Amino acid sequence: MKQFFIFVKKEFFHIWRDRRTLLILFGMPIVQVMIFGFALTNEVKNSKIGILDLSKDEATATLSQRISASQYFDLVENLKSSSDIDASFRKGDTKMVIVFPEHFRESLLHSNSVQIQLIADASDPNTATTLINYASAIINDYQDELMGETKLPYTITTQTRMLYNPQQKGAYNFVPGVMAMILMLVCTMMTSIAIVKEKETGTMEVLLVSPLKPIMVILAKAVPYLLLSIINIISILLLSVYVLDVPIAGSLALLMFTSILFIITSLSLGLLISSFTASQQTAMLISLMGLFMPTLLFSGFMFPIENMPLPLQVISNIVPAKWYYYIVKSVMIKGLGIEAIWHEVLILTGMTVFLLTVSIKKYNVRLA
Amino acid sequence: MSSVIVNNIIKTYSAEKKSVVNALNKISFEVDKGELFGVIGPDGAGKTSLFRIMTTLLIADSGTASVEGFDTVKDYKEIRKQIGYMPGKFSLYQDLSVEENLEFFATIFNTSIKENYDLIKDIYGQIEPFKKRRAGKLSGGMKQKLALCCALIHRPTVLFLDEPTTGVDAVSRKEFWEMLKQLKKQGITILVSTPYMDEASLCDRVALLQNGSVLSIDTPEKITKQFAKQLIAVKTENMYELLQSLRECTEVENVYPFGEYHHVVLKSNRTINEVQQYVSAHGFKDAELKPATANIEDCFIELMRNQ
Amino acid sequence: MTDEKVITAKALTKKFGDFIAVSSISFEVSKGEIFGFLGANGAGKTTAMRMLCGLSLPTSGEATVAGFDVYKESEKIKKNIGYMSQKFSLYEDLTVKENMRFYGGIYGLTDKRIKEKSQQVLADLHMEAEQNKLVKSLPLGWKQKLAFSVAIFHEPAIVFLDEPTGGVDPVTRREFWEMIYQAAQNGTTVFVTTHYMDEAEYCNRVSIMVDGRIEALDTPTNLKKQFDAASMDEVFLQLARKAVRQE
């Protein structure tokens, strides 16, 4: 046991004395949460729009006022004629133009029907769709008010509720994603580098030629990163609850338990990588390209897996982060219990057992 | 009683790995208990491969090796409890202090600095004033001493030192060999490899290794005595022209630069006077000739020629 | 060897802050001489050599290399010297021929000249059959000889060798020294830095640096006489033991 403790102590010295890595280890989660929380967001706010009002009556004034008052839109331009529309888009700032036809109110009252033209810059299709939806919603609201006055016999209205994330905040989506990414990076990359470093400096030779058991070396290497990762999870959770206002809906204990499971999965992966690489650069490259990218692409955090072609959907199943991402979303955001995620937990456990067995088997008691 | 027995070891490598470690071709030798045994050979002779096989880090393609009666393949765990090993690079944790390194290696070998302090006292005493310094900040000579302390801290019965003097300066080299002599007095069997021929004379016995084969195994004195031919040393102003000229001389079997002199190996039954005459006749009037005794390097060259 | 001086140093000094790495060294090296520049690790060898190669400006003192001033004409110096160290010299993943082409190109040799010179080097080293092989597939001894040939490929006035023969077998080592003798014979000055004393025995003259100063400078024979020693190793030990400074 004494051997084990001094080994762990040594690992902490390594981590503690490499200040730059230390900064990255603890700084990265904070920076990532902040970046995703405030800078990178798919919500649309204050988009610049123009309005071409050809009728200038009471109704168009009300609508225009409502649209520009919304936090989504920022009215920057009142266009004079339809020939201005093109020029306005070409300047680049304008994302959408709303065109009210002539005699808007009259047509609405007399023929019960009128058309509003919404022209959006679809070079960014996601933003364009979102803007059209927002604008339609405002227009529909106005229409409902009008209809309230002149009740029609049959009307079907849809009522929408955004479950779990009523304000449709991006944070609900990315906090689980960032957790998966950070844990993958810290555990897998750092452990593989830590072991390969010993191979590079030749100390591994001395460790091999000592009575130390292989399992002891592996565990001692893993323990410090397990602890560091737990600290990282806690800091991400604190940030998300207190800074980003994303509450933990489900059981905190369950969330921590599943996170530790995922940490062990990642650690085993790191061990596996270190067993077949000989230099720190290779270990880092494999960790980054082989794990970080798939985590980003296939966890469902950036791109919905359901929309991917079938082969990619199949591949996504072997990415541990996908299952963890699902678990965190279920527990943290939806507030579900173990009965909803036992299937995913089982898969992760299976992966861990498999990876750990392979990496311990592959851990060479000699030099290759 | 033999401490280390190496019997017909063969080790080959695939082509792409060959540049790092080299093959061994039927190596056999025995090292007695308490002996200071040198494996002498240039880079690429196979020294590191051989040491890795003896320290259970590599498995030979064929042949057997044993340390203190334990087989290097079957009983590797037993051997690992007993030996001390210092690999080619000084394998220390650069970011740990001198003291932390020593404590770490003591603990993983199930012992403590206190328990075996007497064994390393003389060596550790020299670096103890710097015990708070990080190992990475030590000079080459001090790193070498610390690495030796770490390899000794568990009181091994056999000590394997792979090129301990490569890259350290002459003063540290000298001190290092003096330390080995002291350790020998404690009854520890020491195997040391080196590319420097001049270190051969400091060993009890040496194996000369070249291209994965043993050229000769014996005490340094006996190896140099086996040099049967007559050797003379020649020196003059223009050494390059002298060398070219001596190559043409029919009395000479081999001639090569040797420090300030050229060493000339005579054909049998030829005399120094014949060479003297030849040299004078070819315009080297002031050349200095004298009989020379062969050292390990002369022997190595001769053995390589006969291989 | 002639009386023409290709390296002169007068009170050459280099300070890093308060630390005097090289302390007022003075010496001269003749054309075609093999000059040994010895010292323990940390004695200031590398710093001194960097100043002579035009890589580092002296703090004070004077020095000329191949007739050029180390302060003002470092670019000209670089064109007129060759350099070979044990650690770095050739690109392992280029072929023998490609290495020669590359170094010839660096020093601005014409294609025709590179071709002629390559053929000559390959013939001298008996390596015609290996010209298209990757350097990493060659035995160590061959690499070393090739590295030296490449270092003097552009026929520099001076070639600097940094611990050139460490670790090679005794026969190859001799062949290597023979190449050095030949280069010196052809008028190239050879400046060898090393801390292995038996390399020093091959030099015409040897200087020994201790703590930034040149403590001894003479032929190996005279030095051995002066210090009453049997070998250069003993001479060096006597001097280096006095050193205060660690690396």
Side-chain angles (χ1 to χ4, degrees):
Chain A
M1 240 12 224
K2 216 180 149 202
Q3 291 175 313
F4 181 72
F5 282 124
I6 190 137
F7 210 124
V8 173
K9 189 171 139 196
K10 171 188 83 87
E11 291 307 315
F12 272 113
F13 279 146
H14 288 323
I15 298 167
W16 184 245
R17 289 180 184 170
D18 187 357
R19 290 300 160 89
R20 223 176 314 161
T21 311
L22 197 70
L23 192 74
I24 294 173
L25 275 183
F26 289 112
M28 192 173 57
I30 296 171
V31 170
Q32 284 215 2
V33 169
M34 290 305 174
I35 287 177
F36 278 102
F38 295 108
L40 300 175
T41 163
N42 38 23
E43 294 163 47
V44 179
K45 273 182 194 158
N46 298 328
S47 293
K48 299 196 166 115
I49 58 162
I51 290 179
L52 173 60
D53 190 347
L54 297 172
S55 63
K56 296 213 171 27
D57 54 30
E58 193 187 318
T60 58
T62 316
L63 260 176
S64 298
Q65 194 260 327
R66 282 193 188 184
I67 287 170
S68 52
S70 119
Q71 58 166 323
Y72 307 120
F73 302 116
D74 187 8
L75 178 61
V76 289
E77 219 173 352
N78 278 307
L79 305 175
K80 302 262 166 355
S81 74
S82 51
S83 56
D84 290 352
I85 297 174
D86 207 33
S88 172
F89 277 116
R90 276 176 197 278
K91 270 191 279 171
D93 281 354
T94 306
K95 295 282 176 231
M96 185 173 74
V97 169
I98 301 171
V99 185
F100 295 108
E102 285 177 343
H103 316 298
F104 183 82
R105 190 161 188 273
E106 278 173 52
S107 316
L108 188 64
L109 293 180
H110 297 136
S111 60
N112 288 343
S113 152
V114 71
Q115 280 190 328
I116 299 176
Q117 200 179 10
L118 299 177
I119 307 168
D121 172 4
S123 57
D124 177 354
N126 289 333
T127 312
T129 315
T130 315
L131 288 177
I132 297 288
N133 286 340
Y134 287 152
S136 307
I138 294 171
I139 294 165
N140 281 338
D141 279 352
Y142 179 70
Q143 189 184 356
D144 287 349
E145 277 171 40
L146 289 179
M147 287 201 288
E149 290 160 17
T150 60
K151 280 247 187 252
L152 283 171
Y154 305 106
T155 340
I156 301 173
T157 49
T158 49
Q159 206 180 18
T160 325
R161 257 181 75 207
M162 290 298 178
L163 273 181
Y164 311 122
N165 186 3
Q167 298 142 295
Q168 285 191 282
K169 273 198 190 169
Y172 283 78
N173 195 32
F174 77 76
V175 166
V178 168
M179 279 169 77
M181 234 157 62
I182 297 278
L183 294 182
M184 200 75 185
L185 210 62
V186 170
C187 301
T188 311
M189 192 160 93
M190 292 298 165
T191 29
S192 61
I193 288 178
I195 295 182
V196 172
K197 195 173 168 192
E198 299 234 12
K199 286 193 196 172
E200 265 188 3
T201 54
T203 42
M204 196 48 121
E205 274 181 67
V206 181
L207 293 184
L208 285 175
V209 181
S210 77
L212 215 56
K213 290 199 179 67
I215 184 82
M216 198 96 99
V217 179
I218 289 180
L219 284 180
K221 283 275 170 194
V223 163
Y225 293 101
L226 177 72
L227 294 178
L228 283 180
S229 306
I230 292 175
I231 297 177
N232 271 336
I233 294 183
I234 294 173
S235 63
I236 295 176
L237 289 180
L238 284 175
L239 277 175
S240 69
V241 172
Y242 293 107
V243 180
L244 300 175
D245 291 324
V246 180
I248 298 166
S251 147
L252 181 63
L254 185 61
L255 187 62
M256 286 313 282
F257 164 75
T258 47
S259 296
I260 290 172
L261 176 65
F262 180 64
I263 291 173
I264 299 173
T265 320
S266 312
L267 287 174
S268 328
L269 249 176
L271 291 173
L272 191 62
I273 292 175
S274 71
S275 69
F276 58 80
T277 43
S279 79
Q280 292 184 62
Q281 278 123 311
T282 327
M284 192 143 104
L285 251 161
I286 292 181
S287 307
L288 273 177
M289 301 314 288
L291 296 170
F292 192 61
M293 290 303 288
T295 300
L296 214 60
L297 297 176
F298 291 124
S299 64
F301 146 52
M302 287 291 212
F303 312 101
I305 294 173
E306 306 83 68
N307 296 353
M308 291 179 185
L310 192 67
L312 289 186
Q313 286 195 34
V314 174
I315 290 174
S316 76
N317 286 331
I318 60 164
V319 177
K322 171 188 170 174
W323 306 105
Y324 178 65
Y325 177 68
Y326 182 85
I327 292 171
V328 177
K329 266 186 105 162
S330 305
V331 177
M332 185 173 168
I333 310 296
K334 300 186 189 170
L336 305 177
I338 182 77
E339 66 284 345
I341 53 160
W342 67 271
H343 183 223
E344 283 73 22
V345 171
L346 218 61
I347 292 176
L348 265 190
T349 314
M351 282 181 168
T352 311
V353 171
F354 172 76
L355 288 170
L356 213 54
T357 320
V358 175
S359 53
I360 290 177
K361 277 251 164 69
K362 275 214 72 176
Y363 182 90
N364 224 324
V365 293
R366 299 172 202 278
L367 295 170
Chain B
M1 174 71 196
S2 293
S3 173
V4 178
I5 302 169
V6 173
N7 191 10
N8 275 323
I9 288 286
I10 295 178
K11 178 84 190 168
T12 49
Y13 293 97
S14 56
E16 70 262 35
K17 275 194 176 170
K18 210 179 153 259
S19 58
V20 192
V21 263
N22 279 70
L24 296 171
N25 181 23
K26 279 211 167 187
I27 303 276
S28 303
F29 59 83
E30 292 186 14
V31 180
D32 291 336
K33 275 213 162 82
E35 196 174 18
L36 175 51
F37 188 84
V39 176
I40 316 249
D43 292 353
K47 300 189 297 292
T48 298
S49 299
L50 181 61
F51 269 61
R52 285 181 173 171
I53 287 170
M54 292 189 289
T55 52
T56 75
L57 284 170
L58 275 183
I59 296 183
D61 299 347
S62 73
T64 56
S66 72
V67 177
E68 293 289 295
F70 296 107
D71 184 82
T72 50
V73 180
K74 278 201 310 267
D75 313 316
Y76 73 94
K77 284 184 180 157
E78 241 357 273
I79 295 178
R80 290 179 181 187
K81 283 181 197 158
Q82 300 218 4
I83 60 169
Y85 171 48
M86 203 170 128
K89 293 180 252 176
F90 302 136
S91 21
L92 300 163
Y93 295 103
Q94 310 283 328
D95 52 349
L96 297 191
S97 71
V98 170
E99 204 178 21
E100 285 160 355
N101 265 294
L102 192 59
E103 198 194 333
F104 174 74
F105 285 108
T107 314
I108 64 165
F109 279 98
N110 275 321
T111 181
S112 65
I113 301 180
K114 219 190 264 167
E115 211 172 312
N116 292 315
Y117 188 76
D118 62 298
L119 183 65
I120 58 161
K121 189 178 64 201
D122 293 337
I123 309 164
Y124 191 55
Q126 301 174 40
I127 46 173
E128 212 165 4
F130 312 101
K131 66 181 181 185
K132 297 284 175 210
R133 195 184 286 185
R134 303 261 169 98
K137 297 246 157 78
L138 297 176
S139 70
M142 290 207 285
K143 274 187 196 156
Q144 177 201 43
K145 281 171 197 153
L146 177 57
L148 182 62
C149 287
C150 292
L152 276 173
I153 192 66
H154 59 293
R155 208 175 270 282
T157 46
V158 190
L159 189 58
F160 292 90
L161 309 170
D162 191 9
E163 297 204 23
T165 54
T166 300
V168 297
D169 62 51
V171 180
S172 300
R173 265 169 78 190
K174 187 103 180 157
E175 285 173 358
F176 193 79
W177 279 98
E178 274 155 24
M179 284 182 248
L180 294 189
K181 262 186 221 159
Q182 293 303 314
L183 288 173
K184 198 177 107 75
K185 283 187 191 149
Q186 308 257 7
I188 298 174
T189 309
I190 304 171
L191 280 87
V192 54
S193 75
T194 176
Y196 304 115
M197 304 285 149
D198 55 329
E199 291 179 354
S201 62
L202 303 165
C203 304
D204 295 334
R205 280 194 312 141
V206 293
L208 303 183
L209 207 62
Q210 165 72 8
N211 272 336
S213 303
V214 171
L215 296 175
S216 177
I217 301 178
D218 217 322
T219 63
E221 296 76 28
K222 280 193 184 147
I223 288 181
T224 48
K225 276 209 184 105
Q226 278 162 10
F227 194 90
K229 290 160 185 162
Q230 205 192 340
L231 190 70
I232 52 176
V234 194
K235 184 178 151 181
T236 186
E237 185 67 23
N238 192 325
M239 294 297 274
Y240 183 68
E241 281 174 10
L242 177 66
L243 188 68
Q244 301 304 326
S245 173
L246 282 168
R247 290 251 159 85
E248 310 291 313
C249 176
T250 46
E251 280 76 28
V252 171
E253 183 177 304
N254 191 14
V255 56
Y256 45 85
F258 202 97
E260 283 188 273
Y261 292 85
H262 291 325
H263 273 186
V264 179
V265 182
L266 295 186
K267 286 184 181 158
S268 50
N269 302 321
R270 302 300 167 123
T271 61
I272 189 167
N273 288 334
E274 286 173 280
V275 180
Q276 175 85 63
Q277 283 163 13
Y278 175 88
V279 169
S280 311
H282 285 78
F284 303 99
K285 295 273 186 282
D286 58 342
E288 174 197 341
L289 280 83
K290 61 178 186 186
T293 34
N295 74 4
I296 289 282
E297 249 187 304
D298 293 299
C299 297
F300 205 103
I301 293 168
E302 190 62 23
L303 288 163
M304 272 179 76
R305 273 167 62 87
N306 298 339
Q307 204 184 16
Chain C
M1 217 190 303
T2 62
D3 283 342
E4 191 189 330
K5 304 294 179 209
V6 289
I7 302 178
T8 59
K10 270 185 214 135
L12 199 61
T13 301
K14 178 83 187 183
K15 291 182 192 168
F16 297 104
D18 289 339
F19 179 73
I20 304 170
V22 174
S23 169
S24 188
I25 57 169
S26 304
F27 61 93
E28 289 179 333
V29 184
S30 309
K31 184 175 158 67
E33 186 174 7
I34 302 171
F35 188 78
F37 199 63
L38 318 183
N41 288 333
K45 281 187 320 246
T46 312
T47 314
M49 200 176 78
R50 283 198 182 138
M51 288 191 281
L52 295 177
C53 292
L55 298 173
S56 160
L57 276 181
T59 312
S60 63
E62 292 166 30
T64 61
V65 175
F68 300 108
D69 184 75
V70 292
Y71 289 95
K72 284 175 253 156
E73 298 169 304
S74 63
E75 289 314 311
K76 284 184 186 151
I77 290 178
K78 286 179 196 167
K79 273 197 179 148
N80 284 283
I81 59 172
Y83 178 76
M84 170 196 166
S85 94
Q86 205 192 334
K87 286 154 223 138
F88 166 78
S89 279
L90 300 170
Y91 291 95
E92 297 263 302
D93 50 355
L94 295 185
T95 65
V96 173
K97 224 167 142 184
E98 285 161 353
N99 265 292
M100 289 193 283
R101 266 212 64 85
F102 173 74
Y103 279 102
I106 280 188
Y107 286 100
L109 270 57
T110 61
D111 283 359
K112 193 169 154 255
R113 186 85 192 101
I114 292 174
K115 221 171 242 170
E116 288 166 8
K117 195 79 189 151
S118 298
Q119 290 311 321
Q120 188 198 326
V121 168
L122 289 170
D124 287 350
L125 296 175
H126 308 291
M127 275 174 67
E128 288 99 334
E130 280 78 20
Q131 57 177 316
N132 290 320
K133 281 192 183 159
L134 293 183
V135 165
K136 69 176 165 201
S137 70
L138 300 176
L140 179 74
W142 291 31
K143 278 187 213 171
Q144 222 156 17
K145 284 189 273 181
L146 180 65
F148 181 71
S149 304
V150 168
I152 57 168
F153 200 78
H154 57 294
E155 291 162 5
I158 305 153
V159 60
F160 289 87
L161 307 177
D162 196 2
E163 272 162 34
T165 70
V168 293
D169 68 74
V171 172
T172 310
R173 195 161 167 222
R174 259 85 206 168
E175 289 166 0
F176 188 75
W177 273 105
E178 214 178 308
M179 288 177 71
I180 294 179
Y181 283 158
Q182 191 187 0
Q185 178 83 10
N186 295 339
T188 306
T189 302
V190 185
F191 190 95
V192 188
T193 55
T194 180
H195 56 238
Y196 296 118
M197 289 314 121
D198 55 346
E199 275 186 338
E201 310 254 3
Y202 293 83
C203 300
N204 298 128
R205 277 192 314 146
V206 165
S207 82
I208 300 178
M209 270 185 97
V210 179
D211 288 351
R213 292 180 305 275
I214 291 183
E215 289 286 327
L217 199 171
D218 213 327
T219 63
T221 317
N222 290 346
L223 284 176
K224 281 185 269 187
K225 244 182 248 162
Q226 186 189 335
F227 288 87
D228 192 23
S231 66
M232 279 304 295
D233 208 30
E234 279 179 42
V235 173
F236 181 74
L237 285 174
Q238 282 187 36
L239 284 167
R241 284 228 160 101
K242 290 190 281 186
V244 218
R245 188 152 113 186
Q246 280 283 349
E247 250 170 74

